[in-house]
Amino acid sequence: MAKISNEYPLSIPPDALSLSILKRAPLKPDARLLSTRTPSFRNPALFTPFVCSNKAHIQALNLLEISSDRPLGMYTLKTVRHPTSDIPSPLLVLITESNSHYFGKCAEGTQRSLNEKGIKPSRMKNFFMTGVLDWNAIGGLPGLLLTLGDSGKANLTINYGSKILNYIVATWRGFVYRQGVDISINAMNDGDVLVEKYFLVKQVHTFPNQASHLNTHTSPPLDTHNSTLTKVIAKMFPKEGLAGAISDPSSNIPYINTDLPEAANTTHASNYILQFHQTRGKFSVERATELNIPRGPLYAKLARGESIEVDGKVILPDQVLLSPRKFQRVLVLDVPSSAYLESTMQNPAWQAPINAESDDKVGLVYHFLGEDVDLVGNEAYFRFLSLFGENCQHIISHPRYCPNTLNFKTAALSLLKLRSLQKDFFQLPLHQNVPERELSQLGAKARALHAHQDVVVSPEGFTIDSTQVHRNETNWSDLYDSTVTPLGISVHDKAAVIDEARLDSDTGDVTDVKNEVQIITLGTGSALPSRTRNVISTLVRIPQPVSLPVTRDQLVYKSMLLDAGEHTLGSLIRNYGDDLPNYLAELQLIYLSHLHADHHLGIMSIIKRWFLACPEGFLYLVCPWSYEKFVKEWSYLEPAVDFQRIKYISCQDFFDMGGPSQRRSAEFVSIPFESLLDHTLKNLDTHIPLPNVTAIGELYQAFGLASIAMCKAIHCKWAYSITLHFKDPDFKLSYSGDTRPNIHFAKVGRGSDLLLHEATLEDALIEDALSKKHSTIAEAIYTAHLMQVKKLVLTHFSQRYPELPDLTATEKSFAYLRGYLNDPEFAANPKPIRRNNPRNIFSFDLGTLSPSLEGMDYLYAFDNMFIKYGRIHEQKAVADKLPLAFADEEEEIDGEGSFGEKPAEGNSRQKKMTKQEKQEKKLQKQREKTETMRRERQEKEWVKKRKVN
């Protein structure tokens, strides 16, 4: 702890902590003013400094946690992440007072990176997008905007050097919608300056090679329609709604059912100059004494910048304050490729202060360099660095100079524990703790960017704190000793558990090809990514016809993705590394069950990488009809990708069951973009297109399919469940997507070899399941029995519980849900609730089937789990150990502290509770919540009836 003495003045903003200190140690009337430096990252010039001189105050101030090994700074620049194989773009965050401001790219995985680092996105005020925007740069923004809206975050400004950002956000209109959120798009021209409370930010454009300023502008249609695009974005984020309210956009409104005009992406890169406002100079006691100013409140007024009067004479603050303290500037340079080097190195803007408040020097430069920007022997770039002077510090972001460390160590730790139980079901993610190259040739003032790297900013300069960078490293042996060994659960020896060999290296004999079907659950969470679970994505690999005997390494696979949430590609990269192109070459089909963002924000990255791996052939995309519109509009922005090689098939093209409830719904006809300004436009035309029989036939042939059957899911508009029947091997696979239990799906998938079913919520949360149109665990199991499936994989779990839910109380849950859903009071529920449960799944008799998991091979899925069809039953053997592996997560949730904190001292009994006691206690709480919600609903209905009568 750094001690605060009488000689070192201190100014602290009157937050809750300092006010509580003042109450315990009241100020004396003759208290003497102490300094203008602050232990937090705040600007003292904009706060009222409090005064103190008595020992009680000094002792109280010493209670503040001020690290003795780091200077008292005013702001902090934190590195959220450095470039890695799964998230190849860096990200910084500037902390000021109660807000945070981000510089870099919002790639897929950004939201989860913030969770991992414990950074609250709700503090986000500005996002300054750097470089050139493509999906790799901005794919994490839609999910982040939805999460900010869910949290009730009121406002956010996204800054970028082009109006193309309006077009980009407008392409998301079919799946991004939040009420009461103020999202501002600030398109900055070259040289524009954004003024914030504590700093200024200047936009600087750089260009590829010698491209002219005019050539890098967007196409004229975009400029013409920009005002209309702004109105579309306003419809996506209506300010008049309730902040935090969650709902889907209506599918029959004009702004969704239009085609955006073609627009060319900008080629110039966005860079930023960051300049902090100067702060008032230190208070000079000597000058005040010379002016005969009495100690006390008058000192405080002058320090705040207020004039005072002494003996009839007006004294200005400048008379007692030393010269204003200025900050050196910070540059954030983004060089997307070597084509931008010349423009970057020759731009004179870097050396020019934004205004007179700045020091005349640049003190810190962040270099975000593209992969093909080679620093080895690049004398021109070395000379460019030297222009900033020998005292300027440079932080380099480059894939070769930054180590490929793990971004999500919490998930990796969970995976290590699971691997200790089933080493053949999990493989350790690929990573390197050291970079490919070192930066020693650039001198002592240049260093590589690292996550957990902080830069403390003050008028005295920049202090780089790398003491926490070691947290990026992963040592499987040490982690095993510290986390797995104390649990005493491992069924394999340590060497086998920490072996980084790939699972596909198995060369054993194949006895039944069907048993070699692989299911890789890349993500198993719902709604939003968490530290332990990513959002939903499942890769299914189907072995191709072969004559036995063969070994496993001789099998040839074709594969499909069932939904692909954000960062799906990142998971594939960590699992397959350099072999990823071979696995992408197997990919025949991407299936999207519905348009909720957590199910498809990873598809665009997969498509882009697939084109790199497969220069020929077609990729089939079975999806809700309106998703094709989004892909088409995005294709204008990335012309290098041949989107013509995607073959779209609407989910409704497979409706061949008959029956009124499964008929194809009418789709809306797109209106001209210019018609959006017509406020009288209310009703849209509809049509029922013919199925794409040709594409369906080609898909069947390419993937060896006998049939695909589809039905509407009970979830949202344009949501579906699917059953695929393969010829050889004879294998029937059903996937629920998001849905309430659905008897139509049970009929479509009857007799499936494998059912992948969502199990979002535990059974006592049936009210939540009804309102959000999801299934509980028991409902998914009951559906599996109705379908008479051979094997069941449960997935898509709520992020509210990272631990293993109770799978043993199935019969109790069946009875509880049957009674609840058959209750006459439930039948009298308001219409929306009834509509979410159109036919009670428990009203269908199982006959002689046992309503439990006994006799059925089932598996509870975890992220990055490699499951072979023939080995699904093996999880039962370690079922008793799984809860022990997650006991620490249970304590974190059951304890009084928030996730990641230790339970309160008085909560020791919870640590001694058995798993059964914990589950029973949780179940009881959930039942109480359900009963409370039911009573509240009855009361509302009673009040409503009285008003009618």
Side-chain angles (χ1 to χ4, degrees):
M1 297 284 288
K3 295 299 179 183
I4 300 169
S5 67
N6 288 19
E7 290 97 40
Y8 293 92
L10 176 72
S11 171
I12 301 178
D15 53 20
L17 176 59
S18 58
L19 289 176
S20 65
I21 293 174
L22 288 174
K23 290 177 181 177
R24 293 196 299 271
L27 290 173
K28 291 183 177 180
D30 61 343
R32 159 174 90 77
L33 177 69
L34 294 181
S35 116
T36 49
R37 300 184 70 188
T38 171
S40 60
F41 310 119
R42 304 174 180 181
N43 188 342
L46 301 172
F47 290 95
T48 302
F50 62 81
V51 293
C52 62
S53 63
N54 55 331
K55 290 183 179 179
H57 268 100
I58 294 172
Q59 291 172 353
L61 289 172
N62 280 324
L63 295 175
L64 294 173
E65 291 187 8
I66 306 170
S67 173
S68 59
D69 60 354
R70 105 189 222 175
L72 299 178
M74 290 187 172
Y75 313 99
T76 297
L77 276 161
K78 290 179 172 289
T79 304
V80 178
R81 63 169 185 262
H82 59 260
T84 57
S85 60
D86 58 330
I87 311 181
S89 59
L91 182 63
L92 311 173
V93 57
L94 170 65
I95 308 295
T96 63
E97 194 188 359
S98 59
N99 292 318
S100 54
H101 314 266
Y102 290 75
F103 292 82
K105 295 183 173 69
C106 194
E108 290 183 41
T110 293
Q111 187 176 174
R112 200 175 182 203
S113 297
L114 298 178
N115 293 340
E116 182 72 19
K117 303 297 189 303
I119 300 173
K120 296 180 179 180
S122 59
R123 291 167 50 115
M124 188 181 297
K125 185 179 181 185
N126 281 287
F127 205 121
F128 296 93
M129 308 293 296
T130 65
V132 177
L133 295 188
D134 59 5
W135 187 263
N136 296 340
I138 205 168
L141 186 58
L144 182 61
L145 294 178
L146 291 170
T147 298
L148 291 174
D150 296 345
S151 67
K153 168 70 177 175
N155 57 79
L156 169 67
T157 301
I158 308 168
N159 305 278
Y160 184 62
S162 169
K163 294 177 182 177
I164 197 66
L165 189 54
N166 284 318
Y167 183 92
I168 287 173
V169 175
T171 65
W172 306 334
R173 64 196 181 281
F175 50 84
V176 173
Y177 177 83
R178 285 297 181 266
Q179 300 177 19
V181 182
D182 184 5
I183 301 296
S184 300
I185 306 298
N186 181 27
M188 303 178 72
N189 295 318
D190 193 11
D192 281 359
V193 174
L194 177 71
V195 181
E196 275 289 338
K197 184 176 181 181
Y198 299 107
F199 58 85
L200 308 170
V201 175
K202 183 177 182 178
Q203 170 79 208
V204 179
H205 293 172
T206 53
F207 306 91
N209 297 325
Q210 290 295 328
S212 70
H213 187 61
L214 292 176
N215 289 340
T216 58
H217 270 190
T218 54
S219 58
L222 179 60
D223 293 329
T224 303
H225 297 299
N226 192 63
S227 61
T228 309
L229 292 171
T230 303
K231 290 181 172 64
V232 169
I233 295 173
K235 295 284 187 181
M236 295 166 62
F237 303 100
K239 298 178 184 179
E240 62 273 10
L242 177 65
I246 306 172
S247 61
D248 296 323
S250 299
S251 60
N252 62 343
I253 53 181
Y255 83 88
I256 288 180
N257 295 288
T258 188
D259 295 314
L260 299 188
E262 292 191 31
N265 203 347
T266 53
T267 57
H268 64 256
S270 286
N271 308 265
Y272 299 94
I273 302 174
L274 172 61
Q275 177 179 307
F276 296 96
H277 295 309
Q278 66 184 18
T279 63
R280 279 192 287 271
K282 296 181 179 180
F283 185 89
S284 172
V285 176
E286 292 78 9
R287 292 184 182 181
T289 302
E290 292 173 0
L291 294 170
N292 297 318
I293 303 172
R295 293 177 180 270
L298 295 181
Y299 274 30
K301 285 188 175 182
L302 289 167
R304 291 196 299 266
E306 300 176 16
S307 301
I308 64 171
E309 187 174 326
V310 176
D311 298 330
K313 181 180 178 182
V314 176
I315 298 176
L316 302 176
D318 291 344
Q319 294 177 258
V320 294
L321 298 178
L322 301 178
S323 299
R325 296 185 295 164
K326 298 183 177 182
F327 293 80
Q328 294 179 342
R329 297 187 302 285
V330 179
L331 306 185
V332 182
L333 309 183
D334 194 310
V335 187
S337 70
S338 57
Y340 291 80
L341 277 172
E342 186 175 356
S343 177
T344 301
M345 293 185 293
Q346 294 182 358
N347 199 314
W350 315 133
Q351 304 293 342
I354 297 177
N355 63 19
E357 285 191 56
S358 173
D359 189 302
D360 60 355
K361 298 183 181 66
V362 173
L364 177 65
V365 183
Y366 286 96
H367 304 257
F368 296 169
L369 304 181
E371 189 170 1
D372 77 328
V373 179
D374 196 348
L375 294 181
V376 175
N378 194 333
E379 296 298 331
Y381 206 74
F382 295 162
R383 288 194 297 272
F384 172 62
L385 267 62
S386 67
L387 295 177
F388 297 100
E390 60 181 13
N391 294 321
C392 181
Q393 303 189 72
H394 299 270
I395 299 180
I396 310 293
S397 168
H398 191 287
R400 291 193 184 92
Y401 297 96
C402 298
N404 185 27
T405 53
L406 296 180
N407 287 298
F408 310 116
K409 291 190 69 174
T410 302
L413 189 59
S414 295
L415 189 147
L416 183 67
K417 290 187 286 187
L418 290 165
R419 183 169 162 80
S420 74
L421 298 175
Q422 292 184 285
K423 69 178 181 64
D424 294 338
F425 283 62
F426 300 91
Q427 62 184 14
L428 298 178
L430 297 168
H431 77 286
Q432 291 85 34
N433 289 330
V434 295
E436 182 181 329
R437 296 177 184 172
E438 297 292 341
L439 274 172
S440 55
Q441 74 271 26
L442 294 184
K445 290 298 180 180
R447 67 189 73 201
L449 185 75
H450 291 277
H452 298 291
Q453 184 181 68
D454 291 354
V455 178
V456 181
V457 182
S458 71
E460 287 72 29
F462 302 92
T463 302
I464 300 178
D465 180 1
S466 298
T467 57
Q468 299 301 311
V469 167
H470 66 89
R471 295 169 60 187
N472 296 312
E473 299 178 2
T474 301
N475 184 299
W476 296 120
S477 179
D478 291 347
L479 288 176
Y480 184 96
D481 293 340
S482 62
T483 59
V484 179
T485 300
L487 295 175
I489 60 171
S490 184
V491 299
H492 308 289
D493 62 68
K494 175 181 175 180
V497 174
I498 65 174
D499 185 359
E500 298 187 56
R502 301 293 91 186
L503 293 177
D504 53 11
S505 58
D506 185 4
T507 58
D509 292 332
V510 175
T511 57
D512 186 342
V513 175
K514 181 185 291 188
N515 287 336
E516 302 303 317
V517 172
Q518 294 183 15
I519 306 99
I520 299 98
T521 51
L522 299 166
T524 58
S526 67
L528 72 164
S530 72
R531 294 194 300 171
T532 53
R533 292 187 186 275
N534 196 24
V535 286
I536 192 73
S537 179
T538 307
L539 177 69
V540 180
R541 302 179 71 211
I542 305 294
Q544 295 307 288
V546 66
S547 298
L548 298 178
V550 294
T551 56
R552 291 190 176 92
D553 59 321
Q554 295 175 316
L555 289 175
V556 176
Y557 287 86
K558 290 187 177 180
S559 64
M560 62 181 163
L561 271 172
L562 301 175
D563 288 331
E566 181 180 331
H567 201 245
T568 293
L569 179 62
S571 297
L572 289 169
I573 289 171
R574 288 295 184 183
N575 279 306
Y576 294 123
D578 293 339
D579 290 333
L580 179 60
N582 298 328
Y583 289 92
L584 287 176
E586 302 173 355
L587 187 62
Q588 306 291 313
L589 166 66
I590 299 176
Y591 167 69
L592 173 58
S593 62
H594 63 288
L595 290 176
H596 282 168
D598 60 312
H599 285 251
H600 67 76
L601 287 182
I603 289 180
M604 189 58 65
S605 294
I606 295 292
I607 290 174
K608 291 182 62 176
R609 189 62 69 94
W610 182 86
F611 281 122
L612 292 177
C614 305
E616 298 178 344
F618 294 93
L619 180 63
Y620 293 89
L621 181 55
V622 175
C623 57
W625 63 274
S626 59
Y627 187 74
E628 180 181 353
K629 187 190 302 289
F630 161 67
V631 178
K632 177 183 177 182
E633 291 171 354
W634 194 268
S635 70
Y636 303 145
L637 302 175
E638 304 203 37
V641 180
D642 184 7
F643 286 91
Q644 298 299 316
R645 290 202 289 132
I646 298 177
K647 294 203 172 184
Y648 304 92
I649 304 174
S650 170
C651 291
Q652 294 199 121
D653 284 359
F654 298 97
F655 282 0
D656 56 1
M657 287 181 58
S661 63
Q662 295 302 307
R663 288 177 181 166
R664 183 169 190 145
S665 299
E667 299 171 7
F668 295 101
V669 177
S670 288
I671 63 170
F673 184 71
E674 296 78 6
S675 300
L676 293 181
L677 299 178
D678 181 3
H679 300 292
T680 64
L681 186 63
K682 299 294 181 183
N683 298 318
L684 301 179
D685 293 332
T686 61
H687 71 136
I688 298 180
L690 295 174
N692 191 346
V693 177
T694 302
I696 291 175
E698 293 172 351
L699 171 60
Y700 282 10
Q701 171 133 12
F703 208 2
L705 284 160
S707 66
I708 293 179
M710 196 89 63
C711 71
K712 296 177 182 177
I714 307 170
H715 186 58
C716 63
K717 189 70 172 176
W718 317 115
Y720 308 92
S721 301
I722 188 173
T723 295
L724 303 99
H725 191 177
F726 295 88
K727 292 179 181 178
D728 189 2
D730 183 7
F731 187 76
K732 194 173 182 180
L733 168 68
S734 293
Y735 173 57
S736 69
D738 285 6
T739 185
R740 289 288 298 142
N742 188 351
I743 190 60
H744 290 293
F745 181 45
K747 293 176 180 177
V748 168
R750 191 171 183 84
S752 291
D753 294 285
L754 176 64
L755 169 63
L756 300 169
H757 204 291
E758 72 124 291
T760 305
L761 295 159
E762 291 184 318
D763 302 317
L765 296 177
I766 181 61
E767 287 281 352
D768 285 351
L770 286 164
S771 64
K772 297 175 182 177
K773 301 183 186 177
H774 283 295
S775 298
T776 70
I777 292 171
E779 289 175 325
I781 294 168
Y782 201 91
T783 301
H785 282 286
L786 282 175
M787 294 176 74
Q788 298 185 13
V789 303
K790 296 180 179 65
K791 303 191 181 189
L792 168 66
V793 172
L794 298 171
T795 187
H796 195 271
F797 303 104
S798 170
Q799 306 287 19
R800 73 180 69 197
Y801 44 81
E803 81 279 9
L804 189 73
D806 186 9
L807 295 177
T808 61
T810 311
E811 294 181 20
K812 289 182 181 178
S813 297
F814 286 154
Y816 167 69
L817 293 173
R818 182 183 292 109
Y820 178 80
L821 296 174
N822 287 335
D823 190 328
E825 292 184 357
F826 177 78
N829 280 347
K831 239 179 181 179
I833 296 294
R834 283 207 312 274
R835 190 164 58 244
N836 294 350
N837 199 64
R839 300 185 73 180
N840 182 0
I841 198 77
F842 296 100
S843 65
F844 295 90
D845 190 7
L846 287 175
T848 60
L849 298 175
S850 173
S852 71
L853 285 172
E854 297 302 322
M856 176 189 289
D857 288 342
Y858 69 93
L859 181 140
Y860 177 88
F862 294 92
D863 277 19
N864 296 302
M865 192 174 193
F866 286 70
I867 309 159
K868 286 192 175 181
Y869 178 74
R871 301 184 65 178
I872 285 177
H873 63 282
E874 294 182 19
Q875 192 184 66
K876 288 183 180 179
V878 296
D880 59 329
K881 294 180 181 291
L882 281 172
L884 300 176
F886 293 92
D888 50 348
E889 279 90 348
E890 287 183 343
E891 285 185 6
E892 286 172 340
I893 290 177
D894 289 342
E896 294 177 2
S898 62
F899 190 84
E901 298 177 355
K902 295 181 179 179
E905 291 296 326
N907 203 25
S908 59
R909 186 186 179 281
Q910 283 192 323
K911 297 179 183 179
K912 299 178 182 179
M913 292 172 65
T914 65
K915 176 180 180 293
Q916 183 177 355
E917 288 173 330
K918 286 182 178 180
Q919 293 287 358
E920 187 58 39
K921 183 176 180 180
K922 184 186 296 184
L923 194 62
Q924 181 60 33
K925 287 183 178 179
Q926 291 168 344
R927 284 171 176 161
E928 291 172 358
K929 178 182 176 181
T930 300
E931 180 62 23
T932 300
M933 294 175 69
R934 186 183 66 81
R935 286 199 304 267
E936 290 175 350
R937 189 173 60 249
Q938 285 181 324
E939 290 172 2
K940 289 179 181 178
E941 281 297 295
W942 181 77
V943 172
K944 187 176 179 181
K945 288 178 181 177
R946 285 198 61 184
K947 288 181 178 179
V948 172
N949 295 333

